[in-house]
């Protein structure tokens, strides 16, 4: 199993490191194998070297079913070609459909089945005739599509996608967002195991995990009493939506007792500690908490004892 951290080609991430050696030392200090990279922009300082990249998170379009298909194919093929050039072992693709207004008022236009059927057809066209070497891992969100709420829907998606190296990237925080009544990390852990029970036959298809915690139920229960009215101006609507989403999707360390056993039950090839942080220092704190949660208790105690010597 390879453990990585998320990283984006965005100024907020790039500016935290002086050079590639600094970045490499940072993630290696937590015992990580490398990066799951989202190619949002350019890397003018050449911080990222090819051997650092384990996975590439495609720049996913969540409101796509009514867009021009040729444009979408070009968009994704650019990222897929980048992943090939960087010799990534896997790529990540969101299987969902939700517009900005839908995400604010919670009145959805499509069913899970409609979205996974459309996504499977698009994925087949996107990958048909290509010789990509990497795994194509489909990620859950809490919107219509792949949300892991119904094993039959998950199976329906996997059955239709023809690409041989296909699988699931389970985002634990996204799954938590599907239940606004979760109160504690222990509640979340129990909820995840219930989902895994339902998906028992499909567990080998979960090749990767985005391991993080999102317990935003208090916010959501209050929000749904007085949901925002979507703005008519597209830019204002986008800002309105992203501010709301950042409240919902927290991307914090998932450190409940039993997280290591949860990961062991799934037995994935890849675990990405996927966090949203405000600084390098906060990212380091989150990574330490996340990696400690994956260590055997004895190992943590041994490390603590050595630090006292």
């Amino acid at each position: 199993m390879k453990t990585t951290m998320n990283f984006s080609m965005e100024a907020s991430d790039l500016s935290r490191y002086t050079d590639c050696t600094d970045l490499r030392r940072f993630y290696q200090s937590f015992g990580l194998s490398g990066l799951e990279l989202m190619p949002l922009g350019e890397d003018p300082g050449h911080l990222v070297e090819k051997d650092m990249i384990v996975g590439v998170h495609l720049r996913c379009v969540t409101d796509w079913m009514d867009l021009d298909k040729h444009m979408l194919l070009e968009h994704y093929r650019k990222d897929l070609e980048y992943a090939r050039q960087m010799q990534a072992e896997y790529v990540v693709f969101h299987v969902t459909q939700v517009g900005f207004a839908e995400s604010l008022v919670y009145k959805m236009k499509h069913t899970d089945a409609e979205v996974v059927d459309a996504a499977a057809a698009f994925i087949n066209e996107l990958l048909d005739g290509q010789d990509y070497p990497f795994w194509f891992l489909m990620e859950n969100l809490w919107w219509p599509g792949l949300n892991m709420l119904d094993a039959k829907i998950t199976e329906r998606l996997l059955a239709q996608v023809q690409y041989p190296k296909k699988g699931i990237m389970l985002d634990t925080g996204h799954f938590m967002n599907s239940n606004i009544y979760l109160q504690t990390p222990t509640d979340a852990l129990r909820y995840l195991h219930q989902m895994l029970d339902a998906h028992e036959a499909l567990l080998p298809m979960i090749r990767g995990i985005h391991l993080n915690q999102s317990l935003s139920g208090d916010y959501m229960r209050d929000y749904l009493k007085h949901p925002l009215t979507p703005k008519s101006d597209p830019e204002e609507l986008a800002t309105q939506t992203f501010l709301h989403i950042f409240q919902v999707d927290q991307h914090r360390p998932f450190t409940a007792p039993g997280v290591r056993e949860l990961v062991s039950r799934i037995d994935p090839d890849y675990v990405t500690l996927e966090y949203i942080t405000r600084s390098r220092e906060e990212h380091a704190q989150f990574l330490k908490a996340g990696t400690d949660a994956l260590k055997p208790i004895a190992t943590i105690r041994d490390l603590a004892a050595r630090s006292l010597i």
Side-chain angles (χ1 to χ4, degrees), residues 230-251:
K231 299 286 188 181
S232 57
D233 179 79
E235 290 188 8
E236 292 182 0
L237 174 60
T239 299
Q240 189 181 30
T241 303
F242 286 125
L243 289 175
H244 168 61
I245 295 301
F246 288 145
Q247 292 292 321
V248 176
D249 199 21
Q250 297 173 335
H251 282 89

Side-chain angles (χ1 to χ4, degrees), residues 111-150:
T111 66
D112 293 339
E114 289 171 344
V115 176
V116 300
D117 289 352
F122 177 77
I123 291 167
N124 286 336
E125 184 168 356
L126 177 67
L127 303 179
D128 182 48
Q130 305 299 317
D131 59 347
Y132 297 126
F134 41 69
W135 287 92
F136 189 86
L137 304 184
M138 295 166 281
E139 180 180 354
N140 60 298
L141 280 163
W142 62 100
W143 307 117
L146 177 64
N147 47 41
M148 308 299 287
L149 292 173
D150 185 344

Side-chain angles (χ1 to χ4, degrees), residues 120-253:
F122 177 77
I123 291 167
N124 286 336
E125 184 168 356
L126 177 67
L127 303 179
D128 182 48
Q130 305 299 317
D131 59 347
Y132 297 126
F134 41 69
W135 287 92
F136 189 86
L137 304 184
M138 295 166 281
E139 180 180 354
N140 60 298
L141 280 163
W142 62 100
W143 307 117
L146 177 64
N147 47 41
M148 308 299 287
L149 292 173
D150 185 344
K152 291 182 180 178
I153 292 292
T154 309
E155 185 177 18
R156 180 173 181 146
L157 171 67
L158 290 166
Q160 291 184 82
V161 172
Q162 298 168 5
Y163 187 73
K165 295 182 71 173
K166 61 188 173 185
I168 301 297
M169 174 63 76
L170 171 64
D171 190 300
T172 56
H174 289 171
F175 186 67
M176 294 177 203
N177 292 338
S178 68
N179 185 342
I180 65 173
Y181 298 102
L182 300 176
Q183 291 289 314
T184 68
T186 301
D187 292 341
L189 194 66
R190 185 181 305 113
Y191 185 53
L192 279 157
H193 275 295
Q194 289 171 353
M195 178 273 292
L196 295 179
D197 291 343
H199 283 77
E200 190 71 42
L202 298 176
L203 290 188
M205 300 302 294
I206 304 178
R207 313 290 307 201
I209 303 175
H210 283 173
L211 192 63
N212 62 85
Q213 175 182 292
S214 183
L215 292 173
S216 54
D218 288 345
Y219 167 81
M220 276 303 304
R221 290 193 303 276
D222 184 64
Y223 175 85
L224 290 173
K225 295 175 184 175
H226 308 286
L228 295 170
T229 300
K231 299 286 188 181
S232 57
D233 179 79
E235 290 188 8
E236 292 182 0
L237 174 60
T239 299
Q240 189 181 30
T241 303
F242 286 125
L243 289 175
H244 168 61
I245 295 301
F246 288 145
Q247 292 292 321
V248 176
D249 199 21
Q250 297 173 335
H251 282 89
R252 297 182 63 83

Side-chain angles (χ1 to χ4, degrees), residues 18-26 28 46-47 49 52:
T18 56
D19 54 28
C20 62
T21 300
D22 186 28
L23 174 58
R24 190 188 299 274
R25 285 175 177 167
F26 178 79
Q28 287 182 342
H46 304 290
L47 281 177
E49 296 182 333
M52 295 179 173

Side-chain angles (χ1 to χ4, degrees), residues 61-78:
V61 181
T62 55
D63 185 10
W64 62 275
M65 286 177 64
D66 294 327
L67 296 181
D68 177 73
K69 186 168 66 173
H70 177 74
M71 179 273 292
L72 285 171
L73 290 170
E74 290 299 311
H75 167 84
Y76 283 111
R77 282 174 179 160
K78 180 179 179 181

